[in-house]
Amino acid sequence: MGALLVLSDGRFPAGGHAHSGGAEAAVAAGRIRDAASLAAFCRGRLHTVGLTAAGLAAAAAAGLEPLALDDAADARTPSPALRATARRLGRQLMRAARATWPSPGLDALAAARPRGAHQPVVLGLTARAAALGPPDAAYAAGYEAVSGPATAAVRLLSLDPFDATAVLARLAPELDQVVARAADAARRALDEGPGALPAASAPLLDIAAEQHATWSVRLFAS
């Protein structure tokens, strides 16, 4: 479990600190105002894009073909801005992962996708290189889906860090549920292919990401 703690640590140098997970646009639109609205935002994100990312990460950790999963991630990311963000984060994670847990699988994906594979796919392959299992990869992806916006909200709203942390703690049972669904889907995908993986969507996040990408001044990259 030590490897999972390292991989999930916000200080792991994978570039996530520069991204708000849609929180910056939500704050500007008034959808995140306080701890209660942050909790609602994170819950919605966890059960949509968080579930999808957890499924992709679990499948990569289970040994599904990474390039097929990268194509599946593309199909599950309708927003061009979010596709670009996912590949940029994947490229940054790949650099950190290859330095931390060198593996032929990571090397092969880096060579095949020099501009970056989708971050959840890289995350799952990193988990596999670190001898972690599909549920571990799903936990890392699911937690990242909510911890990023919670951390960003502290900076954007001067929200009390204790309140933001409490939001994450109260979401823990739902994170367990999402991980169980993602890991089960990854097991089925071994026989049925990537089509068995979750494809939950959050259209408002997609729309907000496209708008956010046009801002000339912003605190976060996405």
Side-chain angles (χ1 to χ4, degrees), residues 110-172:
R113 293 286 190 270
R115 298 181 64 184
H118 278 259
Q119 193 266 0
V121 179
V122 180
L123 179 61
L125 208 58
T126 302
R128 186 175 178 86
L132 296 170
D136 300 319
Y139 266 113
Y143 180 70
E144 183 178 59
V146 293
S147 62
T151 301
V154 172
R155 296 172 61 185
L156 291 162
L157 293 172
S158 298
L159 191 69
D160 189 327
F162 295 160
D163 290 338
T165 302
V167 166
L168 297 177
R170 290 169 187 148
L171 283 173

Side-chain angles (χ1 to χ4, degrees), residues 30-196:
R31 288 188 288 273
I32 299 178
R33 304 172 302 281
D34 49 24
S37 52
L38 172 63
F41 178 87
C42 288
R43 178 172 291 108
R45 185 172 165 80
L46 175 63
H47 288 281
T48 54
V49 296
L51 173 62
T52 300
L56 290 162
L64 267 75
E65 212 284 312
L67 294 181
L69 290 174
D70 195 52
D71 290 341
D74 241 15
R76 287 161 170 75
T77 312
S79 161
L82 289 181
R83 284 200 298 273
T85 294
R87 293 193 179 280
R88 184 161 57 248
L89 284 170
R91 185 170 63 250
Q92 292 170 312
L93 174 58
M94 180 68 78
R95 291 181 60 194
R98 292 173 76 189
T100 309
W101 296 289
S103 80
L106 288 169
D107 291 343
L109 182 57
R113 293 286 190 270
R115 298 181 64 184
H118 278 259
Q119 193 266 0
V121 179
V122 180
L123 179 61
L125 208 58
T126 302
R128 186 175 178 86
L132 296 170
D136 300 319
Y139 266 113
Y143 180 70
E144 183 178 59
V146 293
S147 62
T151 301
V154 172
R155 296 172 61 185
L156 291 162
L157 293 172
S158 298
L159 191 69
D160 189 327
F162 295 160
D163 290 338
T165 302
V167 166
L168 297 177
R170 290 169 187 148
L171 283 173
E174 293 180 59
L175 175 58
D176 291 341
Q177 296 168 11
V178 164
V179 167
R181 291 180 61 189
D184 179 66
R187 284 190 292 270
R188 288 187 284 107
L190 288 171
D191 295 324
E192 302 173 26

